[in-house]
Amino acid sequence: MSDLDLGKLTISRAARALRAGELSPLELLGATLRRIEELDPRVNAYLTVTAERAREDAKRATDELAAGRARGPLHGIPIAHKDLYETAGIRTTGGAKLHASHVPAADCTVARKLREAGTILLGKLNTHEYAYGVTTNNPHFGPTRNPWDLERIPGGSSGGSGAAIAAGLATAATGTDTGGSIRIPASLCGVVGLKPSYGRVSKAGVLPLSYAFDHAGPLTRTVEDAAIVLNAIAGYDPADPTSVRTPVADATASLADGIRGLRIGVPRGYFFERLEDEVAAALERALAELARQGAELRDVEIPGVAQAVGGVFNFVLAEAQEIHAASLASHPGDFGADLQALLSSPTPDAAALMSGLRAGDRLTAALRGALESVDVLVTPTTPITAPRIGEESVRMGSADAPVIMAMIRCTAPFNATRLPALSVPCGFTRAGLPVGMQIAGRPFDEATVLRVGHAYEQATEWHLRSPEL
């Protein structure tokens, strides 16, 4: 295979080739490192490339597979972590100047689990500074660029992760999601992003933005790949006080069951308002495809969404100000202008915070109530496609909106309610920009969410496209 072909491999396809001896981890790694060397200067997905560590991992995996000691489908797969994930002996910057020399002594829980699964660590990926933003226009390490149009953002804050998967610079990547930061880059970069249920995946050792709303999860090329990674990283972790002790089933087990007879809720109020025309058209085509496969579409009403999104924004601001207060006071010049402005803005008062939490509780009740009559909800992931780097406001419907509010409009409700949500590619605009569809489900029912995403993906070809870099 050429480096280009190897750069398009999914986890599942690569795993089959590795187990069959048709491909070695060293060969797959070599092709990936060559692509990083050639393409990443234009994309800027990586902050740190751990080539020597990767070669050691690949040599070990090659020897183990040759000896018949396969650890599972991730054995020998090249991955990269968002640079919020602490990694032993490898700097973890958080995309921040203040953390530029921070070298943790231990892996975070997710990094440890993926290492134990036999993955090959390629390095650490660019992020919006301290994950507080949606563009990955990083003032300290430079902007990550969308591989589909290098003048546009990849989304954020896990923009390096989304761009790396789209450009074939990693086979899988990790991200974090506080208001949409896994699903937004997935949507804008034309890849798959999964925000698991709150508490499903440990955040121990992941630099925080918000203790209340942070989630950890994967970005991959396909839904099956996201399920494979989820299998490896899910589970109770006593080191994370938000971790939930709940059974973890095989997320791949029901992927091929199809969706005939499943009930899909379509919340047209709020979620389908203020969309770009081409985004709206792509979503309608996607819904028609789900119906063609035998799913039953039902319009559902979900009140109070906007109030809950505002509540998330206020709560995250208050938490971020508390987390970074001492550093901002002692090193104000080490923060980028956008983050400094956010952290210096008026702190929401107790009444605003309590109002936001109550709005989140009401939305949680409304969504869970809707999910009693349907199996999943389907919405756009982002109401618009990727804005240009440096744009501060965008046209959304009949009015302008700040980029951050446009990006989190459809994703943040599922952070407020902590429900699992998946973004899958569902089309491209005439300008060649990806469009994402979001599928959300009941608490800890990632299996059904992934099943719907997989059924749609198998009937379409959007996930097979790759940018020409």
Side-chain angles (χ1 to χ4, degrees):
M1 285 188 189
S2 69
D3 287 358
L4 178 61
D5 291 333
L6 290 173
K8 295 179 181 179
L9 276 184
T10 64
I11 293 172
S12 58
R13 284 182 60 205
R16 289 194 295 271
L18 290 167
R19 288 195 300 270
E22 300 165 356
L23 178 68
S24 79
L26 282 166
E27 290 171 325
L28 181 54
L29 170 64
T32 308
L33 288 176
R34 286 190 293 273
R35 287 182 62 81
I36 292 171
E37 183 177 9
E38 177 188 357
L39 301 177
D40 198 52
R42 283 181 276 165
V43 176
N44 196 34
Y46 281 87
L47 297 185
T48 303
V49 176
T50 54
E52 289 307 310
R53 157 70 184 270
R55 292 187 183 100
E56 293 172 4
D57 291 347
K59 177 63 167 61
R60 184 182 308 109
T62 297
D63 292 344
E64 289 173 345
L65 288 167
R69 300 197 304 272
R71 302 191 197 184
L74 286 168
H75 201 174
I77 299 298
I79 69 162
H81 292 303
K82 182 177 183 177
D83 208 18
L84 266 66
Y85 283 63
E86 295 203 323
T87 41
I90 301 167
R91 72 169 187 164
T92 301
T93 71
K97 183 178 179 180
L98 278 172
H99 268 74
S101 301
H102 170 56
V103 180
D107 284 339
C108 68
T109 299
V110 168
R112 174 182 57 78
K113 286 186 170 186
L114 288 170
R115 173 172 50 80
E116 292 171 350
T119 58
I120 297 167
L121 182 59
L122 295 164
K124 311 297 287 294
L125 297 164
N126 203 357
T127 171
H128 207 103
E129 185 177 9
Y130 286 129
Y132 204 172
V134 297
T135 66
T136 315
N137 189 13
N138 191 297
H140 311 297
F141 300 102
T144 296
R145 298 177 181 274
N146 193 314
W148 294 96
D149 181 341
L150 296 176
E151 298 305 312
R152 295 180 184 271
I153 67 168
S157 60
S158 310
S161 303
I165 298 301
L169 308 181
T171 310
T174 56
T176 62
D177 193 311
T178 306
S181 288
I182 288 172
R183 291 157 292 155
I184 293 165
S187 178
L188 270 53
C189 292
V191 300
V192 172
L194 173 66
K195 180 191 79 67
S197 304
Y198 189 78
R200 172 68 90 188
V201 176
S202 173
K203 302 189 296 291
V206 179
L207 299 181
L209 171 59
S210 164
Y211 299 110
F213 297 112
D214 287 351
H215 299 66
L219 291 97
T220 58
R221 293 198 179 92
T222 67
V223 174
E224 181 182 12
D225 285 1
I228 290 170
V229 177
L230 181 64
N231 281 346
I233 64 176
Y236 174 69
D237 179 13
D240 177 3
T242 70
S243 181
V244 177
R245 192 189 294 273
T246 189
V248 179
D250 181 357
T252 67
S254 61
L255 287 180
D257 288 355
I259 58 173
R260 184 166 298 280
L262 284 186
R263 301 159 301 172
I264 293 178
V266 185
R268 293 194 175 276
Y270 181 86
F271 288 100
F272 283 75
E273 298 168 354
R274 304 186 70 183
L275 304 182
E276 282 183 358
D277 290 345
E278 290 186 270
V279 172
L283 263 293
E284 294 304 327
R285 289 192 295 268
L287 289 169
E289 173 56 37
L290 295 172
R292 188 193 68 77
Q293 293 188 46
E296 177 189 347
L297 303 185
R298 297 184 182 180
D299 285 353
V300 295
E301 295 292 329
I302 308 292
V305 183
Q307 293 87 342
V309 170
V312 170
F313 192 87
N314 279 338
F315 211 89
V316 170
L317 174 60
E319 283 197 281
Q321 288 176 328
E322 189 276 331
I323 290 168
H324 297 294
S327 296
L328 184 64
S330 61
H331 297 84
D334 287 346
F335 287 79
D338 65 332
L339 181 57
Q340 188 173 155
L342 277 168
L343 296 177
S344 303
S345 60
T347 302
D349 61 21
L353 294 176
M354 291 303 100
S355 175
L357 287 177
R358 287 195 296 271
D361 288 344
R362 289 193 293 271
L363 180 60
T364 299
L367 285 172
R368 290 190 179 189
L371 287 163
E372 289 296 312
S373 60
V374 297
D375 298 294
V376 297
L377 300 169
V378 167
T379 77
T381 306
T382 54
I384 63 173
T385 52
R388 295 188 180 278
I389 293 171
E391 280 189 290
E392 296 183 358
S393 66
V394 290
R395 196 71 177 174
M396 193 170 63
S398 60
D400 291 342
V403 167
I404 190 169
M405 299 312 294
M407 291 290 103
I408 70 171
R409 178 177 172 84
C410 296
T411 54
F414 300 104
N415 295 85
T417 56
R418 299 171 170 82
L419 300 178
L422 174 77
S423 182
V424 297
C426 72
F428 284 79
T429 66
R430 288 185 295 275
L433 299 176
V435 178
M437 174 173 68
Q438 180 172 231
I439 305 160
R442 298 169 185 147
F444 301 101
D445 189 15
E446 287 85 3
T448 302
V449 170
L450 291 162
R451 176 181 162 193
V452 173
H454 181 73
Y456 175 76
E457 184 181 78
Q458 293 303 295
T460 58
E461 297 185 347
W462 308 120
H463 65 291
L464 300 177
R465 295 192 184 187
S466 56
E468 296 181 4
L469 282 168

